[in-house]
């Protein structure tokens, strides 16, 4: 299935919208999962062309990744996309995300997390609240069952606290049970920023009981999603979410898990990426330790405490690590401009409004920020860069 490059929707606003706006609009269409979105963008001449083709519902049904991703019901799905797209204003949709302060990064953009660049199943788009620079530094995924025991909850919370205090970011999914315990522990201390990946839009808190935890993670670290605002927590979102938890982790630690379930899907995704696995041993009579005990039998390393995990990371017990900033620090004036970026592409007049700087002063600050590697310029758009993985501190 290929996309005609000359399809038009009668309202070509490519010059007024960044690529992120078109991808965000595509991601909002019903049934547009990661595989379909990636295949759609890969078979087009760019996000705007992909959007026009979806609106026009003009396809060349040749075998390829998109036909495979759509499955046997492809024509009906394409019809549904076209109807929905004709009712959606991409400019207004983009404005909604900008006004909400949601960061948006697409593959190939300066703000796209480097950790996903070479992933075997990278997200086409990443939405974020908080600071994406939280992704720089050592990261450990802590996962497990929602139906955890008190033992599992306490172990996960202690691991989260001690790893965070040692400078290791805790990655999890903000679910009830082990996920929530790990992030609660990470927030109990003044340590590394926590990282969460969720299966809904960033304005749709799930589970609702974790609203405060969600907000605290976003304040101290970052919450990521592949789904635009308003997206509900559909069941199929969570296996996709779990692959990103694995991709973000240097090590995945399973605290309590039955032999099947979401945490074991994260284990599968970690193994697919050759990411080290660790498991917390549990009572042989406990159903929620059956999966973790089997992982140990199958060769996973034992995680008795945070020291075991730190040793596996090559850090050693009690060693704190902080991210090393290798770029030149911006001046106060340039920092004010950098703070005006949030994490979306912006035009110079938008930055002027946000920062209050005069255009001539703003232009000078942008030149310096670009020279020192803090931002990128794409046509008339400016984008803030994330700290690259190579800025991660060396092992001590």
């Amino acid at each position: 299935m290929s996309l005609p490059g000359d399809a038009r929707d009668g309202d070509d606003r490519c010059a007024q919208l960044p690529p992120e706006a078109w991808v965000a609009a595509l991601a909002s269409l019903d049934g547009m999962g990661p595989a379909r979105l990636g295949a759609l963008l890969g078979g087009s001449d760019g996000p705007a062309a992909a959007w026009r083709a979806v609106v026009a519902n003009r396809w060349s049904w040749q075998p390829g990744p998109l036909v495979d991703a759509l499955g046997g019901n492809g024509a009906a799905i394409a019809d549904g996309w076209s109807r929905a797209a004709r009712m959606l204003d991409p400019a207004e949709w983009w404005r909604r995300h900008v006004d909400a302060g949601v960061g948006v990064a697409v593959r190939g953009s300066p703000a796209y997390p480097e950790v996903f660049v070479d992933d075997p199943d990278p997200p086409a788009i990443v939405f974020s609240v908080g600071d994406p620079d939280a992704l720089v530094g050592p990261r450990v995924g802590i996962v497990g069952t929602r139906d955890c025991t008190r033992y599992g909850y306490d172990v996960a919370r202690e691991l989260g606290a001690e790893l965070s205090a040692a400078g290791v970011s805790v990655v999890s999914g903000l679910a009830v049970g082990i996920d929530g315990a790990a992030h609660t522990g990470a927030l109990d201390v003044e340590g590394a920023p926590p990282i969460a990946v969720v299966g809904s839009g960033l304005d749709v808190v799930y589970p609702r009981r974790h609203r405060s935890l969600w907000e605290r993670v976003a304040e101290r670290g970052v919450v990521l999603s592949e789904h635009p605002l308003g997206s509900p927590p559909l069941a199929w979102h969570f296996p996709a979410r779990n692959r990103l938890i694995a991709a973000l982790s240097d090590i995945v630690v399973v605290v309590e898990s039955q032999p099947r379930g979401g945490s074991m899907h994260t284990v599968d995704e970690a193994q697919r990426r050759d990411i080290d696995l660790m498991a917390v041993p549990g009572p042989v009579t406990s159903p929620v330790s059956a999966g973790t005990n089997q992982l140990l039998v199958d060769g996973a390393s034992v995680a008795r405490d945070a020291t075991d995990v730190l040793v596996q990371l090559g850090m050693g017990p009690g060693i704190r690590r902080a991210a090393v900033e290798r770029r030149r620090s911006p001046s106060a004036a340039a920092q004010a401009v950098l703070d005006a970026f949030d994490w979306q592409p912006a035009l110079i007049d938008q930055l002027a409004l946000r920062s209050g700087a005069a255009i001539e002063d703003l232009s000078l600050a942008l030149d310096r920020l670009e020279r020192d590697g803090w931002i990128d310029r794409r046509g008339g758009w400016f984008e803030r860069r994330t700290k690259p993985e190579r800025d991660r501190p060396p092992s001590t």
Side-chain angles (χ1 to χ4, degrees), residues 12-329:
D12 189 347
R13 286 161 292 180
C14 297
Q16 290 75 42
L17 292 176
E20 289 79 357
W22 301 104
V23 183
L26 288 167
S28 72
L29 301 178
D30 189 38
M32 184 68 78
R36 290 171 177 172
L37 182 57
L40 179 63
L41 294 171
S44 72
D45 294 327
W51 175 261
R52 291 194 299 266
V54 166
V55 170
N57 200 11
R58 294 171 56 187
W59 311 95
S60 175
W61 291 91
Q62 302 298 321
L66 187 52
V67 168
D68 294 342
L70 286 173
N73 202 29
I77 293 171
D79 287 344
W81 285 350
S82 179
R83 289 192 298 271
R86 289 176 183 275
M87 299 179 66
L88 179 66
D89 180 355
E92 181 58 34
W93 189 239
W94 175 244
R95 172 55 55 189
R96 179 179 171 187
H97 286 78
V98 171
D99 289 347
V102 173
V104 186
V106 297
R107 291 188 68 190
S109 74
Y112 189 78
E114 187 173 342
V115 66
F116 293 140
V117 170
D118 296 321
D119 191 77
D121 192 7
I125 189 168
V126 180
F127 300 91
S128 64
V129 289
D131 185 0
D133 278 343
L135 302 182
V136 177
R139 301 175 297 266
V140 169
I142 301 179
V143 299
T145 181
R146 289 172 168 81
D147 299 320
C148 65
T149 66
R150 186 71 207 188
Y151 160 77
Y153 183 94
D154 290 345
V155 169
R157 185 167 181 171
E158 183 175 337
L159 282 172
E162 293 185 357
L163 289 173
S164 181
V168 178
S169 289
V170 172
V171 184
S172 205
L174 280 175
V176 297
I178 297 301
D179 287 30
H183 271 141
T184 298
L187 293 165
D188 284 342
V189 298
E190 293 294 330
I195 301 166
V197 189
V198 298
S200 61
L202 293 172
D203 59 338
V204 182
V205 175
Y206 179 81
R208 292 182 181 178
R209 73 181 81 171
H210 275 182
R211 176 174 294 277
S212 176
L213 185 62
W214 181 306
E215 293 171 349
R216 291 170 63 207
V217 170
E219 182 180 355
R220 283 266 302 270
V222 67
V223 181
L224 307 175
S225 176
E226 288 184 273
H227 309 288
L229 293 175
S231 299
L234 301 178
W236 65 266
H237 289 180
F238 293 93
R241 184 249 349 232
N242 293 342
R243 90 186 192 285
L244 299 186
I245 292 175
L248 286 165
S249 303
D250 297 312
I251 293 174
V252 169
V253 179
V254 187
V255 177
E256 278 187 327
S257 177
Q258 296 175 340
R260 298 180 182 275
S263 55
M264 287 304 174
H265 184 268
T266 308
V267 166
D268 292 340
E269 293 293 340
Q271 291 175 324
R272 181 183 173 199
R273 292 165 173 79
D274 293 324
I275 292 167
D276 286 347
L277 285 173
M278 303 187 76
V280 174
V284 296
T285 57
S286 173
V288 295
S289 287
T292 48
N293 288 340
Q294 185 61 50
L295 287 175
L296 295 172
V297 171
D298 293 340
S301 299
V302 177
R304 298 166 299 179
D305 52 29
T307 297
D308 285 342
V309 182
L310 293 171
V311 169
Q312 190 84 355
L313 280 170
M315 294 175 62
I319 297 174
R320 300 177 64 89
R321 286 169 62 169
V324 176
E325 183 50 68
R326 296 184 179 177
R327 288 174 290 184
R328 185 181 305 175
S329 296

